[in-house]
Amino acid sequence: MKVVAVLSVKDEAELIERTIQHLQEIGVDLIIGCDMNSTDGTYEALQEHKSDKNFWVFRLDDQLADDFQTWSRANTALVRSAEADWAIFLDADEYWIPVSGSLKDCTTLTETDVLTVDRFNIPVSADGPLMPSKLAPKYYNDLLLATEVVDDLRLHMRNNPAAVWIRAKAEPKVMARPEQIEGLALGGHDIVAAHARLLRRRTPNDLIIAHLPFSTRSRFRRKVDNIRRLFRIHDEFFGELTAWHWRRWLALDEMGRLDEEFDRTLFNAGDIAEMRMRGAILSAEDLFRERMTTADAPTP
Amino acid sequence: MGRSLRAHLGYLDICTELQAVGWATTDGEPAEVEILLNGQRLARVQCNVERTDLRLHGLAANAGFSFTFPRPLAASDEVSVCFTDGTHLRNSPNNSTREGPDEQAGQRITIVAGMRGSGTSLCANLVALLGIPMREESDASRTDGLGNWERDEIVHYHDRVLRLFDPNWPEDCHALSLPPNWWTAPMVRAIRDEMIDWLAVKLKRTRNLGFKDPRTVRLLPLWDQICAELRLDVRWVFCVRDPAQVARPPRASDEMAIRNAEYRWMAYNSHAIRNLGDRAVCIIPYEEWFAEAGRNLTQLISHLDNALSANMPIFQELSRRVIAANLRHENRPSPNTDLLTGSLHRAILQSAPQCRFSPQARDTADSFIAFQELVGAILVPHARTASSLSHQASETARWRLPPDIVEKARGDNLFAQMDVKNILAERRLQAPEAFEAYRQLLRLQDSDHIRLRPLRSLNEIAAQRGLTYFETDPGGEPFTIESARVIGKSNHRTLKGISRPIYLACLADARVRGRSAAIELSEAILLDYQGDELKRLDDRLEFDPAIFRAQGDTVWAIAVDRRSCSIAINEAFSLLGPHTYYFGHWIWECLPKYVAALLSNKLPPIPVLIDADMPKTHRQALELVMPEGTPLIELAPFMTARVERLWCSPSQMHMPLLERMNERFKWDYLASPPARFAPIIRGMAQRMCSALPPKGGAERVFLARKPSAHRRMINDRVIEAVAQAHGFHVVYPEDLDFLEQVHLLRNARFVTGPEGSAFFLGFFSSPGTRMCILDHPHTAGLPLLTGPLAEIGVEPVVFTGPYASMHDEWPHMSDYEIDEKAFSRFLNGWLRDNTP
């Protein structure tokens, strides 16, 4: 089995090396690094790994009007020509966590076309993300994840201004068979099926994504600045409902409240204890244990 | 008419080694004069030759004389022309030559300057009365003779210089700003040398010469050089008039136009004052002529160091006639003058008695120029636009021309110019009438009129009449070009042709034009075609800027309305042409002509004539193949050059000017035998690669194209991304210097990209380089490129994708889309596979 990972990045120098290393550790055979015009050394870091065999790199200008189409078509073409069996689509702050430590061991791979993989945010304290230095199975107990499910997070946050975005479970991402892919949805959250086929979709219990949206204040600010530039070009494209959380942060930034927002995302010891007690934060190990007791189900 | 004249008056205008020419009157009637050679009387001559210029001065029209000497004069011979009482005519005694330095030292030139409408013609007329020839008879007969005192030659020389810096000159807005040290530009120096030659000939005939042209003060550094070269004593006469009266608009109520006129007055006078500096200048206020003319006359005579006195009755009478003779401009009610303008005017008037501009005048002028330079970048484009728009709009509307095409045509867009020519032809205008509209509309350089000329083959005429005709290949050999391997749909096939003769020729006394492939000889226009090449396809000859309209075997050729071209060149090899701006043509068609000529070892070390504004990389490419020290001569678009010995070679293939791709067209017609072309390509590459740095650079190169209006690969960004992911370095060659481009291709092992002229860089690739050309299915013409590439050891392959939109006439210019998945899969194999 050959697995290809499409790794799309923009100014993630803080995380990129760890992400690449993790992908290689979980059994990804080919990484396609798509840099969206980073200026912090991320692209150069990708270039260091470049290889015909297992690491392809290309760069797109995210300030051009048709950059999403180009991103989707180029990645689709590359994935489909890579002679791979499976493809995953991720950002640099996403760590795919297979229960066994290898993507290729996921039990649902043989009987599906698309896996919808649940994504959980990693809590961050004032001392940094609450995650171990290595993401191998034996460390899964140290990897904490926010698991609280909120049905309509946008509405929830509008009605509860004190709610904290990071504490809710994030949107899932997909793993798909390349030959079934005709295009990619925004952010790689889904695929467009080739020939409009009806695809077999499942949500695996033995595979999750640990998402690290927040790590340092400087990274958060840079992401907000980048998204502002992106919205200037693509405002109409994103619409009101897409990337609404980024719009919220842009608005907060305009009000001079971005630092305050970052501080709100930080968990103190009391928060952690309270959330763990009610099951809103679980370790990856506990989460897998809980998920494995129920059979994985087809994705609605 | 008042009292009669009671004095001798006369002038020896011309004294050459063969004849003496002049005029003389006594008591207003044609006089009898004696011709003396070295003090010995040769003849007594009754003046009776008709001279229209004399009438203009109130003199007897038949008071001229012309005397031919019995033998050619030696330089040492002295000629005198006297009245019968022994009084010498002015400019007598004289010599037949004035080339010696001592003789030159005494020569003088009088320059009358001043803004139009300031009394410059009146002043020039009076200076002429003082015996200083201010114009030729032919100049006078050109108009009514009263108001026009410019010399044709000087006007044209000035126009040529000014057009070097602004092709739209002359313009109405007086907005031309000359760059720093403009007079040191090679083209200006070439014109200056012509002016020196012309003036030297004039000065052989007279010690004292004058002219009037308001632009002279703008071009003063040039004239300083000329006068220094000829060791001329310069006398400046500067006419000035109340700014409120100069260049007044027809509608006095037009406040905007009034201020614009004042601005022009300030601009002209400020630059004049700055340029003239503190040199001696006779300042002549226009209004003074009609208040107290004597003061101006005295000033003028004193400044010119003339023996006449302003009080002499004869002169007073002549002056009165001139001043009264319709030369007084209407004095209109004066509007309020701007404070700064009024201040400069007053300062000029106050400077007049000192015959030199006062510090106050110069300070004011400097302040204005500083302001003008500050705001020039903003104002000049507006001013130009305003002045040209009204004229252009009326002409455009008159001939129902699309304004956008006209706008493009006014630049150097040959397609747009061809469109204008064709639209005017569609209006059923005869060629001369159509050309007049074209000329008025576009105001292109050196495009004054058209001449009907036979169109002839360069090869044929060069073989018959060339000073040199050296055939390097007789041609006539059949050849074929196999197509490269094509992946995808295509319409390629093997191209067939007969090789054309290749030669090196030198033509005598030829005229060429910037951006034109046409060579004009006195009897014909020549183009590079042989045998039936021109007739077997439909070529748009009017694409060439020298050809206004083609008519069977003749063409209406665009010509210059002067005695000489813009520049004169002794000897040069021509690489001019309408295709020189296009990279593919430059590498494929143009440069090989020169390299083939060099390889023949018959081309002497001579300059190469090139189009001035072609991309710098083209020039860099040429410099890499030229023998060291070979000069380049640049010819601006449409500018003409007369070349005494013009060297030329044909291209390897027949290259139409702009072919019609109709049922008669075949790609075979543009083919050249690869086996013969390859040594020339290698010759180019060898010369270029010797300048390359050591090996290095990208192994995989994607030759990207910037978005263009035609032949677009519509998913270019996706394909570029895919290529990048496969390790290709995406390069826009036009962003690099030429040597960098060659370096890039020389060291690359894999090259791909959308079909375009950049693939001609493949000529410099190393043997064994793999090249994948992305294209649409119309691949019929590609063997023209892939044939020579394969011949030099490059391994081309063509990868096609479906049309995105079809071009109506030129299918090879259609847009297309490459299947990015298929391309990515292809690259996987192509990069891995070692078999072609």
Side-chain angles (χ1 to χ4, degrees):
Chain A
M1 182 189 293
K2 181 177 180 181
V3 179
V4 57
V6 172
L7 172 60
S8 301
V9 293
K10 167 85 174 180
D11 287 339
E12 291 286 23
E14 275 181 33
L15 308 179
I16 193 69
E17 287 297 344
R18 181 172 187 176
T19 307
I20 292 168
Q21 187 186 354
H22 178 69
L23 286 170
Q24 289 166 341
E25 285 169 356
I26 62 174
V28 168
D29 301 286
L30 170 66
I31 298 172
I32 299 171
C34 172
D35 181 77
M36 305 300 288
N37 230 0
S38 297
T39 57
D40 69 342
T42 303
Y43 177 65
E44 290 71 17
L46 291 173
Q47 292 276 67
E48 289 293 312
H49 294 272
K50 197 165 76 171
S51 138
D52 275 351
K53 190 178 166 195
N54 57 22
F55 210 113
W56 299 351
V57 179
F58 69 101
R59 189 172 215 185
L60 295 177
D61 185 352
D62 62 349
Q63 298 297 300
L64 295 180
D66 61 345
D67 82 298
F68 170 69
Q69 278 299 323
T70 307
W71 173 83
S72 170
R73 289 180 64 169
N75 281 313
T76 302
L78 291 167
V79 161
R80 289 190 57 166
S81 68
E83 296 167 355
D85 301 290
W86 285 93
I88 64 172
F89 303 91
L90 74 158
D91 298 341
D93 58 0
E94 291 165 350
Y95 302 93
W96 288 56
I97 309 292
V99 69
S100 70
S102 170
L103 280 175
K104 293 170 185 168
D105 293 337
C106 291
T107 55
T108 40
L109 293 182
T110 53
E111 56 202 43
T112 55
D113 298 314
V114 178
L115 297 185
T116 304
V117 184
D118 284 334
R119 202 163 55 123
F120 303 94
N121 292 327
I122 301 171
V124 183
S125 74
D127 296 328
L130 298 171
M131 63 191 294
S133 58
K134 295 199 171 186
L135 292 174
K138 65 179 178 182
Y139 303 105
Y140 283 175
N141 198 40
D142 297 330
L143 174 61
L144 300 187
L145 301 165
T147 58
E148 193 168 11
V149 176
V150 178
D151 279 345
D152 187 338
L153 186 57
R154 187 176 72 94
L155 190 62
H156 174 72
M157 292 198 65
R158 187 195 287 173
N159 296 336
N160 301 279
V164 181
W165 178 85
I166 192 175
R167 297 189 179 195
K169 185 184 167 211
E171 290 291 308
K173 288 221 164 167
V174 294
M175 179 169 183
R177 291 185 186 276
E179 70 271 18
Q180 305 293 5
I181 303 172
E182 185 60 36
L184 303 175
L186 191 61
H189 287 280
D190 203 351
I191 63 155
V192 177
H195 314 298
R197 282 195 196 114
L198 198 59
L199 301 176
R200 296 171 297 163
R201 290 174 178 264
R202 295 190 89 82
T203 301
N205 287 330
D206 55 357
L207 177 62
I208 59 170
I209 299 168
H211 182 215
L212 185 63
F214 293 91
S215 54
T216 60
R217 195 182 300 274
S218 60
R219 176 169 163 249
F220 180 49
R221 174 157 290 287
R222 189 163 56 245
K223 283 170 86 91
V224 171
D225 288 342
N226 282 337
I227 211 81
R228 180 182 296 108
R229 277 193 284 273
L230 206 59
F231 275 29
R232 274 193 203 126
I233 312 286
H234 304 290
D235 192 41
E236 287 181 11
F237 174 76
F238 283 109
E240 192 184 344
L241 298 180
T242 310
W244 60 268
H245 53 301
W246 286 111
R247 289 187 190 281
R248 181 170 164 272
W249 285 324
L250 289 175
L252 289 172
D253 191 26
E254 280 177 19
M255 291 185 276
R257 294 173 54 196
L258 201 62
D259 283 339
E260 180 190 325
E261 175 69 0
F262 183 77
D263 291 338
R264 288 177 66 229
T265 65
L266 300 180
F267 292 69
N268 59 34
D271 294 334
I272 305 278
E274 183 273 324
M275 288 180 73
R276 290 197 76 157
M277 187 173 296
R278 60 182 175 86
I281 286 182
L282 292 175
S283 71
E285 190 174 292
D286 290 342
L287 183 60
F288 276 128
R289 189 177 300 121
E290 186 180 280
R291 291 165 69 97
M292 298 300 271
T293 58
T294 57
D296 64 304
T299 306
Chain B
M1 280 294 286
R3 66 191 176 196
S4 62
L5 303 173
R6 297 177 186 282
H8 292 313
L9 208 57
Y11 199 91
L12 173 56
D13 292 322
I14 296 171
C15 180
T16 68
E17 59 185 3
L18 296 178
Q19 63 176 173
V21 178
W23 60 272
T25 60
T26 299
D27 292 339
E29 297 300 322
E32 199 172 35
V33 293
E34 290 187 333
I35 313 290
L36 296 93
L37 179 62
N38 301 323
Q40 299 294 313
R41 199 176 84 179
L42 285 181
R44 179 174 281 210
V45 176
Q46 174 62 48
C47 293
N48 57 10
V49 175
E50 184 77 15
R51 294 259 305 252
T52 54
D53 59 319
L54 300 179
R55 186 183 292 120
L56 302 176
H57 299 300
L59 298 165
N62 56 345
F65 70 84
S66 174
F67 177 78
T68 302
F69 299 115
R71 63 168 174 83
L73 299 191
S76 55
D77 287 333
E78 183 184 81
V79 175
S80 302
V81 183
C82 307
F83 291 95
T84 49
D85 62 3
T87 306
H88 280 265
L89 271 65
R90 295 185 58 73
N91 206 28
S92 166
N94 210 309
N95 292 84
S96 62
T97 72
R98 294 195 181 277
E99 288 177 322
D102 292 335
E103 288 158 348
Q104 272 191 1
Q107 289 174 327
R108 177 184 294 175
I109 189 160
T110 301
I111 301 176
V112 176
M115 199 171 174
R116 287 191 197 285
S118 299
T120 49
S121 292
L122 187 158
C123 205
N125 203 330
L126 289 168
V127 172
L129 278 179
L130 292 170
I132 299 171
M134 291 294 285
R135 63 179 175 184
E136 304 298 316
E137 198 171 342
S138 56
D139 300 327
S141 60
R142 193 161 36 85
T143 65
D144 63 1
L146 286 171
N148 194 335
W149 281 84
E150 277 105 351
R151 287 179 181 271
D152 269 356
E153 292 92 341
I154 287 177
V155 168
H156 290 319
Y157 283 131
H158 287 176
D159 278 345
R160 282 169 57 192
V161 172
L162 292 165
R163 280 180 189 162
L164 291 176
F165 302 101
D166 184 350
N168 294 325
W169 183 269
E171 56 180 2
D172 298 333
C173 63
H174 291 238
L176 175 65
S177 173
L178 297 171
N181 299 329
W182 56 268
W183 58 92
T184 61
M187 298 293 284
V188 177
R189 293 208 305 266
I191 297 172
R192 178 202 62 195
D193 292 346
E194 282 183 54
M195 294 170 80
I196 289 171
D197 291 345
W198 174 80
L199 204 53
V201 170
K202 288 278 172 205
L203 288 165
K204 280 183 182 175
R205 300 177 178 180
T206 176
R207 285 181 175 276
N208 216 341
L209 189 77
F211 71 89
K212 167 214 150 183
D213 187 341
R215 286 100 44 93
T216 314
V217 286
R218 290 297 299 271
L219 302 174
L220 200 127
L222 181 74
W223 276 100
D224 281 346
Q225 289 183 338
I226 293 168
C227 294
E229 175 72 23
L230 295 172
R231 303 176 63 192
L232 297 176
D233 172 19
V234 188
R235 298 298 162 106
W236 285 95
V237 179
F238 187 78
C239 303
V240 64
R241 190 179 180 195
D242 181 352
Q245 298 295 335
V246 180
R248 284 284 313 283
R251 287 158 49 218
S253 59
D254 188 342
E255 180 70 17
M256 191 74 174
I258 290 169
R259 295 304 162 216
N260 187 26
E262 279 189 20
Y263 176 84
R264 288 158 54 183
W265 187 96
M266 277 300 286
Y268 178 87
N269 285 284
S270 297
H271 282 281
I273 291 168
R274 170 182 272 191
N275 283 346
L276 287 166
D278 67 349
R279 62 185 86 192
V281 181
C282 178
I283 300 167
I284 303 291
Y286 180 79
E287 290 75 12
E288 199 78 26
W289 290 118
F290 310 100
E292 198 171 342
R295 197 184 299 170
N296 270 353
L297 279 174
T298 305
Q299 191 96 337
L300 193 61
I301 290 168
S302 160
H303 183 72
L304 298 180
D305 199 17
N306 199 289
L308 286 177
S309 160
N311 296 325
M312 286 174 67
I314 177 176
F315 193 69
Q316 287 195 339
E317 175 61 22
L318 283 171
S319 308
R320 193 186 63 76
R321 289 188 195 179
V322 168
I323 293 166
N326 301 324
L327 286 173
R328 181 170 188 173
H329 300 288
E330 182 195 358
N331 221 15
R332 287 173 284 194
S334 174
N336 292 330
T337 304
D338 174 79
L339 274 178
L340 187 65
T341 316
S343 163
L344 184 62
H345 184 224
R346 283 191 297 279
I348 296 173
L349 296 183
Q350 286 160 6
S351 302
Q354 288 75 41
C355 283
R356 162 175 335 266
F357 290 111
S358 68
Q360 187 197 347
R362 287 158 60 191
D363 285 349
T364 310
D366 283 344
S367 302
F368 176 80
I369 292 169
F371 166 77
Q372 195 187 32
E373 286 169 354
L374 185 69
V375 300
I378 306 164
L379 293 182
V380 167
H382 287 302
R384 289 205 171 132
T385 305
S387 104
S388 65
L389 275 183
S390 60
H391 175 76
Q392 184 186 329
S394 62
E395 285 296 298
T396 302
R398 184 179 169 205
W399 301 113
R400 303 193 304 281
L401 291 160
D404 58 327
I405 290 178
V406 173
E407 189 58 38
K408 286 180 191 166
R410 295 188 79 186
D412 59 358
N413 186 318
L414 302 186
F415 289 92
Q417 286 170 14
M418 180 184 71
D419 286 345
V420 173
K421 293 171 189 172
N422 288 336
I423 292 169
L424 291 170
E426 286 165 12
R427 303 280 177 269
R428 300 185 183 283
L429 296 177
Q430 295 297 309
E433 189 187 357
F435 178 76
E436 184 54 24
Y438 180 83
R439 189 184 70 82
Q440 291 276 342
L441 207 55
L442 305 189
R443 297 193 201 168
L444 300 176
Q445 179 158 11
D446 285 3
S447 305
D448 301 316
H449 64 262
I450 51 174
R451 292 194 280 245
L452 192 59
R453 288 281 184 274
L455 180 65
R456 305 291 296 273
S457 154
L458 171 63
N459 182 31
E460 182 190 325
I461 297 297
Q464 288 172 6
R465 285 174 239 173
L467 297 172
T468 299
Y469 182 82
F470 176 73
E471 197 172 67
T472 55
D473 187 318
E477 293 294 323
F479 64 91
T480 59
I481 310 180
E482 300 298 328
S483 167
R485 180 166 71 103
V486 180
I487 298 166
K489 288 186 178 174
S490 67
N491 66 349
H492 64 285
R493 59 174 177 78
T494 299
L495 300 183
K496 296 176 183 173
I498 306 285
S499 64
R500 62 194 326 228
I502 302 296
Y503 55 88
L504 173 65
C506 178
L507 299 166
D509 196 20
R511 288 167 195 244
V512 288
R513 176 180 290 267
R515 300 220 58 199
S516 168
I519 296 171
E520 185 184 351
L521 299 184
S522 56
E523 72 278 22
I525 299 291
L526 312 183
L527 285 175
D528 176 15
Y529 67 89
Q530 303 176 9
D532 68 343
E533 286 175 341
L534 195 62
K535 291 192 170 163
R536 66 189 180 182
L537 48 67
D538 296 319
D539 199 358
R540 298 170 168 96
L541 301 186
E542 65 277 15
F543 182 66
D544 190 287
I547 298 175
F548 184 68
R549 192 176 285 182
Q551 214 168 278
D553 292 334
T554 59
V555 292
W556 284 97
I558 299 176
V560 200
D561 189 19
R562 344 200 158 100
R563 292 171 196 172
S564 65
C565 295
S566 288
I567 59 170
I569 299 167
N570 287 335
E571 191 165 25
F573 185 92
S574 175
L575 279 180
L576 302 169
H579 305 140
T580 58
Y581 282 20
Y582 310 118
F583 184 78
H585 281 277
W586 184 247
I587 298 295
W588 181 42
E589 174 197 353
C590 308
L591 211 49
K593 290 188 207 177
Y594 181 57
V595 173
L598 288 175
L599 290 173
S600 74
N601 291 322
K602 298 290 182 187
L603 183 67
I606 53 170
V608 179
L609 197 51
I610 57 170
D611 286 309
D613 293 342
M614 63 182 185
K616 68 172 184 182
T617 48
H618 298 198
R619 184 177 170 138
Q620 289 166 346
L622 175 59
E623 285 168 344
L624 285 170
V625 301
M626 289 189 323
E628 199 174 337
T630 304
L632 284 176
I633 302 173
E634 291 186 336
L635 208 54
F638 321 118
M639 182 182 276
T640 53
R642 181 178 168 188
V643 189
E644 281 185 36
R645 289 179 303 283
L646 181 74
W647 291 78
C648 45
S649 277
S651 55
Q652 292 294 308
M653 68 296 297
H654 172 233
M655 188 56 64
L657 291 169
L658 188 65
E659 67 279 9
R660 287 184 196 280
M661 289 224 169
N662 53 21
E663 66 288 349
R664 299 184 65 215
F665 176 80
K666 290 181 182 174
W667 287 102
D668 307 63
Y669 294 158
L670 274 58
S672 60
R676 190 176 71 182
F677 203 173
I680 297 166
I681 295 171
R682 290 196 188 98
M684 280 198 292
Q686 191 180 13
R687 284 169 159 78
M688 290 172 181
C689 294
S690 63
L692 286 180
K695 215 165 168 60
E699 189 190 58
R700 300 174 191 178
V701 173
F702 186 96
L703 297 172
R705 291 187 82 204
K706 291 186 176 171
S708 61
H710 56 76
R711 204 171 38 175
R712 184 161 181 224
M713 182 170 70
I714 61 166
N715 57 337
D716 49 359
R717 291 192 59 221
V718 180
I719 293 296
E720 286 170 21
V722 167
Q724 267 193 74
H726 285 280
F728 280 85
H729 186 47
V730 176
V731 179
Y732 293 88
E734 60 267 51
D735 294 342
L736 304 176
D737 279 347
F738 186 74
L739 201 56
E740 292 172 320
Q741 296 178 16
V742 174
H743 185 243
L744 193 71
L745 270 287
R746 194 67 178 172
N747 295 320
R749 287 191 55 234
F750 294 91
V751 180
T752 188
E755 199 269 318
S757 58
F759 274 93
F760 283 100
L761 284 169
F763 283 5
F764 314 114
S765 290
S766 301
T769 303
R770 292 180 161 202
M771 199 162 274
C772 173
I773 303 168
L774 307 176
D775 205 357
H776 44 59
H778 188 91
T779 55
L782 268 186
L784 300 175
L785 166 66
T786 57
L789 286 176
E791 191 70 25
I792 60 167
V794 172
E795 299 168 12
V797 59
V798 182
F799 190 102
T800 66
Y803 293 109
S805 60
M806 290 291 290
H807 192 285
D808 290 342
E809 180 181 347
W810 294 310
H812 64 296
M813 291 292 185
S814 299
D815 294 344
Y816 60 101
E817 183 170 11
I818 293 292
D819 182 330
E820 52 252 25
K821 301 178 197 82
F823 179 57
S824 185
R825 274 195 292 271
F826 163 77
L827 289 180
N828 281 336
W830 192 53
L831 295 169
R832 212 166 35 215
D833 189 5
N834 280 325
T835 57

